[in-house]
Short mmCIF file of all heavy atoms in Angstrom, two decimals:
data_model
loop_
_atom_site.label_atom_id
_atom_site.label_comp_id
_atom_site.label_asym_id
_atom_site.label_seq_id
_atom_site.Cartn_x
_atom_site.Cartn_y
_atom_site.Cartn_z
N ARG A 1 -2.13 3.18 -3.13
CA ARG A 1 -3.37 2.61 -2.63
C ARG A 1 -3.22 1.11 -2.44
O ARG A 1 -2.50 0.45 -3.19
CB ARG A 1 -4.51 2.90 -3.62
CG ARG A 1 -5.86 2.36 -3.22
CD ARG A 1 -6.91 2.75 -4.25
NE ARG A 1 -6.70 2.09 -5.53
CZ ARG A 1 -7.44 2.32 -6.61
NH1 ARG A 1 -8.43 3.21 -6.56
NH2 ARG A 1 -7.19 1.68 -7.74
N ILE A 2 -3.91 0.58 -1.45
CA ILE A 2 -3.94 -0.85 -1.22
C ILE A 2 -5.38 -1.25 -0.93
O ILE A 2 -6.11 -0.53 -0.27
CB ILE A 2 -3.00 -1.28 -0.07
CG1 ILE A 2 -2.91 -2.80 0.02
CG2 ILE A 2 -3.44 -0.67 1.26
CD1 ILE A 2 -1.80 -3.29 0.95
N THR A 3 -5.79 -2.41 -1.44
CA THR A 3 -7.13 -2.91 -1.21
C THR A 3 -7.12 -3.91 -0.08
O THR A 3 -6.08 -4.34 0.40
CB THR A 3 -7.70 -3.57 -2.47
OG1 THR A 3 -7.02 -4.82 -2.71
CG2 THR A 3 -7.54 -2.67 -3.68
N THR A 4 -8.31 -4.31 0.35
CA THR A 4 -8.41 -5.30 1.41
C THR A 4 -7.85 -6.65 0.99
O THR A 4 -7.45 -7.45 1.84
CB THR A 4 -9.87 -5.48 1.87
OG1 THR A 4 -10.69 -5.80 0.74
CG2 THR A 4 -10.39 -4.20 2.52
N SER A 5 -7.80 -6.89 -0.32
CA SER A 5 -7.24 -8.13 -0.83
C SER A 5 -5.72 -8.07 -0.94
O SER A 5 -5.07 -9.08 -1.22
CB SER A 5 -7.84 -8.48 -2.19
OG SER A 5 -7.48 -7.53 -3.16
N GLY A 6 -5.15 -6.89 -0.74
CA GLY A 6 -3.71 -6.74 -0.79
C GLY A 6 -3.16 -6.20 -2.10
O GLY A 6 -1.95 -6.00 -2.22
N SER A 7 -4.02 -5.95 -3.06
CA SER A 7 -3.57 -5.39 -4.33
C SER A 7 -3.11 -3.95 -4.12
O SER A 7 -3.72 -3.20 -3.35
CB SER A 7 -4.68 -5.43 -5.37
OG SER A 7 -5.06 -6.76 -5.65
N THR A 8 -2.06 -3.56 -4.81
CA THR A 8 -1.51 -2.22 -4.65
C THR A 8 -1.46 -1.48 -5.96
O THR A 8 -1.43 -2.07 -7.05
CB THR A 8 -0.10 -2.27 -4.05
OG1 THR A 8 0.76 -3.05 -4.91
CG2 THR A 8 -0.11 -2.90 -2.67
N ASP A 9 -1.43 -0.17 -5.85
CA ASP A 9 -1.33 0.70 -7.01
C ASP A 9 -0.52 1.92 -6.60
O ASP A 9 -0.65 2.41 -5.48
CB ASP A 9 -2.72 1.11 -7.49
CG ASP A 9 -2.68 1.85 -8.81
OD1 ASP A 9 -1.79 1.56 -9.63
OD2 ASP A 9 -3.56 2.70 -9.04
N TYR A 10 0.34 2.39 -7.50
CA TYR A 10 1.20 3.52 -7.20
C TYR A 10 1.19 4.53 -8.33
O TYR A 10 1.04 4.18 -9.51
CB TYR A 10 2.65 3.06 -7.00
CG TYR A 10 2.85 2.09 -5.87
CD1 TYR A 10 2.78 0.71 -6.08
CD2 TYR A 10 3.11 2.56 -4.59
CE1 TYR A 10 2.98 -0.17 -5.04
CE2 TYR A 10 3.31 1.66 -3.54
CZ TYR A 10 3.24 0.31 -3.77
OH TYR A 10 3.43 -0.58 -2.73
N ALA A 11 1.36 5.78 -7.96
CA ALA A 11 1.56 6.80 -8.96
C ALA A 11 2.90 6.56 -9.65
O ALA A 11 3.85 6.07 -9.04
CB ALA A 11 1.55 8.19 -8.32
N GLY A 12 2.97 6.91 -10.92
CA GLY A 12 4.20 6.68 -11.66
C GLY A 12 5.41 7.38 -11.06
O GLY A 12 6.53 6.87 -11.14
N SER A 13 5.18 8.52 -10.42
CA SER A 13 6.27 9.29 -9.86
C SER A 13 6.90 8.66 -8.62
O SER A 13 8.01 9.01 -8.23
CB SER A 13 5.80 10.71 -9.51
OG SER A 13 4.73 10.67 -8.58
N VAL A 14 6.19 7.72 -7.99
CA VAL A 14 6.71 7.09 -6.77
C VAL A 14 6.92 5.60 -6.91
O VAL A 14 7.52 4.97 -6.03
CB VAL A 14 5.79 7.36 -5.56
CG1 VAL A 14 5.53 8.85 -5.40
CG2 VAL A 14 4.47 6.60 -5.70
N LYS A 15 6.45 5.03 -7.98
CA LYS A 15 6.56 3.59 -8.19
C LYS A 15 8.03 3.17 -8.17
O LYS A 15 8.87 3.78 -8.82
CB LYS A 15 5.91 3.18 -9.50
CG LYS A 15 5.71 1.69 -9.66
CD LYS A 15 4.89 1.37 -10.89
CE LYS A 15 4.58 -0.11 -10.99
NZ LYS A 15 3.74 -0.42 -12.16
N GLY A 16 8.31 2.12 -7.42
CA GLY A 16 9.67 1.65 -7.27
C GLY A 16 10.39 2.26 -6.10
O GLY A 16 11.44 1.75 -5.68
N ARG A 17 9.86 3.34 -5.55
CA ARG A 17 10.47 4.01 -4.40
C ARG A 17 9.61 3.89 -3.15
O ARG A 17 10.14 3.83 -2.04
CB ARG A 17 10.72 5.49 -4.70
CG ARG A 17 11.66 5.73 -5.86
CD ARG A 17 12.03 7.21 -5.97
NE ARG A 17 10.87 8.04 -6.26
CZ ARG A 17 10.40 8.99 -5.46
NH1 ARG A 17 11.01 9.24 -4.31
NH2 ARG A 17 9.34 9.71 -5.81
N PHE A 18 8.30 3.91 -3.32
CA PHE A 18 7.38 3.83 -2.19
C PHE A 18 6.75 2.45 -2.13
O PHE A 18 6.51 1.82 -3.16
CB PHE A 18 6.26 4.87 -2.33
CG PHE A 18 6.69 6.30 -2.17
CD1 PHE A 18 8.02 6.67 -2.14
CD2 PHE A 18 5.72 7.29 -2.04
CE1 PHE A 18 8.40 7.99 -1.99
CE2 PHE A 18 6.08 8.62 -1.89
CZ PHE A 18 7.42 8.97 -1.87
N THR A 19 6.46 2.01 -0.92
CA THR A 19 5.80 0.74 -0.72
C THR A 19 4.68 0.91 0.30
O THR A 19 4.91 1.42 1.39
CB THR A 19 6.77 -0.34 -0.21
OG1 THR A 19 7.84 -0.52 -1.15
CG2 THR A 19 6.04 -1.68 -0.04
N ILE A 20 3.49 0.48 -0.06
CA ILE A 20 2.36 0.56 0.85
C ILE A 20 2.05 -0.84 1.37
O ILE A 20 2.14 -1.82 0.63
CB ILE A 20 1.12 1.20 0.17
CG1 ILE A 20 0.03 1.49 1.20
CG2 ILE A 20 0.60 0.34 -0.96
CD1 ILE A 20 -1.08 2.39 0.66
N SER A 21 1.70 -0.92 2.63
CA SER A 21 1.41 -2.21 3.24
C SER A 21 0.32 -2.02 4.30
O SER A 21 -0.03 -0.90 4.66
CB SER A 21 2.66 -2.82 3.87
OG SER A 21 3.18 -1.99 4.90
N ARG A 22 -0.19 -3.13 4.77
CA ARG A 22 -1.23 -3.07 5.79
C ARG A 22 -0.96 -4.05 6.93
O ARG A 22 -0.31 -5.08 6.74
CB ARG A 22 -2.60 -3.35 5.17
CG ARG A 22 -2.71 -4.71 4.50
CD ARG A 22 -4.06 -4.85 3.81
NE ARG A 22 -4.14 -6.05 2.98
CZ ARG A 22 -4.54 -7.23 3.41
NH1 ARG A 22 -4.90 -7.40 4.68
NH2 ARG A 22 -4.58 -8.27 2.59
N ASP A 23 -1.46 -3.71 8.09
CA ASP A 23 -1.38 -4.56 9.27
C ASP A 23 -2.79 -4.63 9.83
O ASP A 23 -3.22 -3.74 10.56
CB ASP A 23 -0.40 -3.97 10.29
CG ASP A 23 -0.18 -4.88 11.48
OD1 ASP A 23 -1.02 -5.77 11.74
OD2 ASP A 23 0.84 -4.71 12.17
N SER A 24 -3.49 -5.69 9.49
CA SER A 24 -4.88 -5.80 9.89
C SER A 24 -5.06 -5.90 11.40
O SER A 24 -6.07 -5.44 11.94
CB SER A 24 -5.53 -7.02 9.20
OG SER A 24 -4.86 -8.21 9.53
N ALA A 25 -4.09 -6.49 12.08
CA ALA A 25 -4.18 -6.64 13.53
C ALA A 25 -4.17 -5.28 14.22
O ALA A 25 -4.75 -5.13 15.30
CB ALA A 25 -3.04 -7.50 14.05
N LYS A 26 -3.52 -4.31 13.61
CA LYS A 26 -3.43 -2.97 14.19
C LYS A 26 -4.32 -1.97 13.46
O LYS A 26 -4.28 -0.78 13.77
CB LYS A 26 -1.98 -2.49 14.17
CG LYS A 26 -1.04 -3.34 15.01
CD LYS A 26 0.37 -2.79 14.96
CE LYS A 26 1.30 -3.63 15.81
NZ LYS A 26 2.69 -3.11 15.78
N ASN A 27 -5.10 -2.46 12.50
CA ASN A 27 -5.97 -1.59 11.71
C ASN A 27 -5.18 -0.42 11.12
O ASN A 27 -5.64 0.73 11.12
CB ASN A 27 -7.14 -1.07 12.54
CG ASN A 27 -8.06 -2.17 13.00
OD1 ASN A 27 -8.29 -3.14 12.27
ND2 ASN A 27 -8.60 -2.04 14.20
N THR A 28 -4.01 -0.74 10.61
CA THR A 28 -3.08 0.29 10.19
C THR A 28 -2.56 0.04 8.78
O THR A 28 -2.31 -1.11 8.40
CB THR A 28 -1.89 0.36 11.16
OG1 THR A 28 -2.36 0.68 12.47
CG2 THR A 28 -0.89 1.41 10.73
N VAL A 29 -2.40 1.11 8.04
CA VAL A 29 -1.76 1.07 6.73
C VAL A 29 -0.52 1.94 6.80
O VAL A 29 -0.54 3.01 7.41
CB VAL A 29 -2.72 1.58 5.64
CG1 VAL A 29 -2.01 1.61 4.29
CG2 VAL A 29 -3.95 0.69 5.55
#
C-alpha cells in the first residue's frame, strides 16, 4: 500500500522483494 504522502507498507511475505510507487502525472500506481 502507498498513501498520497508517499508512505508505504508491505506484507511481511513480500517486503524487500516488492516495491510500490506512484506517478501522479499519470494517475497510476
Side-chain angles (χ1 to χ4, degrees):
R1 180 178 68 183
I2 188 169
T3 71
T4 55
S5 66
S7 297
T8 59
D9 189 31
Y10 299 91
S13 59
V14 307
K15 192 172 185 178
R17 299 188 296 117
F18 291 11
T19 301
I20 190 168
S21 61
R22 59 185 171 89
D23 185 340
S24 59
K26 298 181 179 180
N27 296 324
T28 300
V29 177

